[in-house]
Amino acid sequence: MQVSVVPQYPLALGDDELFNADEYDPTRAYGTDRTGFAAVHERFAADGHNIHTMDVLSPTEADAVIFVDMDFDVLDRLLDLSPSRRPAFVYLMREPPSVRWYNSAAELPRFATVFDAVVTWNGRLADAHGFYEYNIPQYLEINKGDLPSFDDRTLLTNVSSRKYSKHPDELYSERERIARFYDEYHSEKFTLHGRYWNDPPRKEDIYHHMKLRPHTYRTYGGVVDDKIAVYGHHRFALAFENMTGIEGYLTEKLFDCLRARTVPVYWGANDVERYVPREAFVDYRKFGTPERLHAFLDSMDAEMHRAYLEAASAFLKSGTDPVGPSQYAETLYTATKEAQESEWSAPSASLREEIRARGLLKRLESRPKSLSKMECVAGLLGAVRKYPAMVRERPSAVLESLKCVL
C-alpha cells in the first residue's frame, strides 16, 4: 500500500519532514505531534507499506491519502479523478473548530461523507457518527535539569502566541484576560512570552477581528527558544487550550508543564481528568476570574506546591500512557487499511460544488500562477455570486486573483 499524507502546514513538507522526530521541538510544524507521526511511519513500514508526505508521493499516485485537517485544493483535484484511479480518503482531524471551522460538530459530519474513514480525538463525534477515535500523542519525558527553589521562582508565566477567534468557546481571550490582569496589578509576579503580543496587528487580525490597537504588555519577554526552561523558573504556567467545551482535546500545553516540573493552570478539555489526575494541575474552572486565581496561587506554600509536582511526576512515571504514540499509530493504520476496503459513494452535487469553490479559493491564495487569467476571473466571479460569505472569509484569495489578472 502506498500512502500519501497531506498536512495542513507546508513547513511539514520536504523529504518526509513530518516523520522526523529526532528531537522534541514545538516550534516546528507539527513539532508536538512528530513522535506520533514517526510511530505511524514505523507502523506502516512494519507491514511493508510505504507512507510519505505529498511532496514525496503524489496523492494522485497513492492507494490512500491521509488529510491532516482539510486541504480543499487537493481534495477537489482528487475528486476529479475517475473512480478507478481515486485513492481511499482518510481524514485526520487535528485542530479544534475554533481554529478550523470545518471540524465542528455541525460541519465535520457533512464533509465526512466525502471520506472513507474519519479519525478524530472528539469521542462524542466518533460515537455519534462511527468515526475512529484517537488520543493526541504526547512527548512525556521529564526534564531532569536543576531547577530554582520554590522561593526563587516567579509566580506565573504564559508562553503562547497572541491569537483571536470568533468561536464562542475560544480561550484566546481568556489567556489575554489573565495576562492583562497581571500586567496591570502584579507585573512583578508574571512573565509573558510568545509571538505577536506586542507586535502591530496582523492584516488578518484587523480584517477579521478589528484589532487596530491591541494592548501593549510591559511583562512581555519576547519569543523563547525553549519554553520548558522558561516553565522551570516559574511555580505555575497557564495551560489554556485553544478552546473549551469539548472532550478529548488535550495538547502539549498541559503536558509540557508537567514535564518541565511546573504546575499547570489548565482550562480546555471537559474530560481532562480522564487523562491526567486532578492532583497534578490547577483547574481554572474552579476560579473563573483572574483575581480568584491569583489569590489561590499567591497563597500556596512550598509544601502544597511540591504535592502537585509529585503527583505529576508519579503520573509521568506510572506507565499509564493514554496519550502515547503507539495507540495513535495503530488507530490511523487501522483506519487507513479499512478505508481501502470500504465502498465509497460520491458526495452530493451541492457538496461537490462547494468543495470545488473552496478548492479554487485555496489555489488563488497559495498558488495563483497555476491558473490562467480567465480561470481566475471566472472562478472568483462564480464564487462571489454563489458563495459570497465564503469569499469574505478569504480576502487574500481576492487579492491574489486581482494580482493574477493585473
Side-chain angles (χ1 to χ4, degrees):
M1 179 169 56
Q2 303 289 320
V3 182
S4 178
V5 180
V6 181
Q8 181 70 207
Y9 304 110
L11 289 176
L13 300 174
D15 295 329
D16 283 337
E17 175 65 21
L18 180 65
F19 307 109
N20 179 9
D22 54 348
E23 62 178 344
Y24 178 76
D25 182 1
T27 64
R28 298 189 297 179
Y30 299 107
T32 60
D33 294 359
R34 292 197 182 196
T35 55
F37 282 116
V40 168
H41 193 277
E42 292 177 4
R43 180 64 186 89
F44 276 83
D47 279 3
H49 305 298
N50 295 316
I51 182 169
H52 302 282
T53 50
M54 62 180 290
D55 57 310
V56 177
L57 175 62
S58 171
T60 59
E61 303 298 324
D63 301 308
V65 177
I66 299 173
F67 291 80
V68 186
D69 290 325
M70 200 78 72
D71 188 315
F72 286 106
D73 179 14
V74 176
L75 181 60
D76 174 40
R77 287 183 283 133
L78 290 177
L79 286 172
D80 278 341
L81 296 176
S82 64
S84 61
R85 293 186 56 206
R86 189 191 70 83
F89 293 162
V90 178
Y91 184 72
L92 175 61
M93 173 180 161
R94 177 55 178 86
E95 297 285 9
S98 61
V99 179
R100 303 295 174 196
W101 59 269
Y102 44 73
N103 284 338
S104 71
E107 295 292 348
L108 183 58
R110 188 167 66 90
F111 286 108
T113 60
V114 178
F115 293 88
D116 300 282
V118 174
V119 188
T120 175
W121 41 258
N122 190 320
R124 286 192 181 182
L125 276 177
D127 291 342
H129 300 281
F131 301 157
Y132 297 84
E133 182 182 2
Y134 77 96
N135 297 327
I136 299 173
Q138 303 295 335
Y139 184 73
L140 300 179
E141 183 176 337
I142 302 175
N143 177 26
K144 298 179 181 178
D146 294 331
L147 297 176
S149 67
F150 177 83
D151 290 334
D152 290 336
R153 292 190 185 197
T154 304
L155 182 67
L156 179 66
T157 189
N158 179 71
V159 183
S160 67
S161 297
R162 184 189 217 170
K163 296 180 181 179
Y164 307 97
S165 172
K166 295 179 180 179
H167 195 282
D169 293 321
E170 57 82 22
L171 290 181
Y172 300 134
S173 59
E174 293 297 330
R175 289 181 201 155
E176 184 144 9
R177 180 186 177 200
I178 294 175
R180 290 193 68 161
F181 168 79
Y182 275 95
D183 201 65
E184 293 178 15
Y185 299 109
H186 302 286
S187 59
E188 77 284 359
K189 297 186 176 184
F190 178 72
T191 66
L192 178 65
H193 300 277
R195 294 178 297 170
Y196 313 130
W197 287 99
N198 280 0
D199 293 346
R202 297 171 295 170
K203 289 182 291 185
E204 56 265 37
D205 297 336
I206 296 173
Y207 180 83
H208 291 293
H209 306 287
M210 299 300 293
K211 300 296 181 181
L212 301 178
R213 297 182 63 187
H215 181 78
T216 300
Y217 291 86
R218 54 180 171 166
T219 52
Y220 181 60
V223 178
V224 295
D225 293 329
D226 185 358
K227 71 174 180 177
I228 301 299
V230 172
Y231 283 162
H233 284 77
H234 294 77
R235 298 177 192 173
F236 305 94
L238 288 185
F240 283 17
E241 304 290 5
N242 294 332
M243 70 174 292
T244 188
I246 48 179
E247 286 76 38
Y249 181 61
L250 275 82
T251 72
E252 81 289 347
K253 296 174 181 64
L254 173 61
F255 295 96
D256 280 352
C257 294
L258 301 178
R259 294 176 46 240
R261 292 185 285 165
T262 191
V263 178
V265 178
Y266 184 77
W267 192 9
N270 293 344
D271 59 345
V272 56
E273 291 175 16
R274 174 186 170 192
Y275 304 89
V276 179
R278 69 182 69 180
E279 296 81 9
F281 64 94
V282 173
D283 190 339
Y284 183 76
R285 294 174 296 182
K286 296 179 179 179
F287 305 97
T289 68
E291 293 84 357
R292 292 176 63 188
L293 173 69
H294 175 71
F296 177 77
L297 299 183
D298 202 39
S299 64
M300 187 181 295
D301 60 22
E303 184 177 353
M304 182 181 291
H305 186 265
R306 188 182 309 111
Y308 277 99
L309 297 182
E310 289 174 353
S313 178
F315 163 70
L316 292 175
K317 295 177 180 178
S318 67
T320 302
D321 195 4
V323 291
S326 59
Q327 59 81 26
Y328 174 76
E330 191 62 39
T331 301
L332 194 53
Y333 177 79
T334 300
T336 306
K337 286 281 289 183
E338 293 182 359
Q340 275 208 299
E341 301 166 2
S342 67
E343 186 174 339
W344 184 76
S345 57
S348 66
S350 60
L351 182 58
R352 179 67 187 96
E353 187 176 13
E354 180 184 346
I355 292 172
R356 194 181 302 281
R358 292 190 182 281
L360 172 66
L361 290 176
K362 177 71 183 295
R363 284 192 288 279
L364 287 173
E365 277 187 319
S366 58
R367 50 188 194 94
K369 292 183 180 179
S370 68
L371 301 169
S372 67
K373 290 185 177 182
M374 184 62 70
E375 288 174 320
C376 285
V377 173
L380 183 61
L381 290 178
V384 168
R385 183 172 61 253
K386 186 111 182 186
Y387 304 103
M390 187 191 303
V391 176
R392 286 195 299 271
E393 293 170 6
R394 315 298 289 265
S396 56
V398 178
L399 179 62
E400 292 300 328
S401 65
L402 291 175
K403 289 181 182 178
C404 176
V405 173
L406 299 177

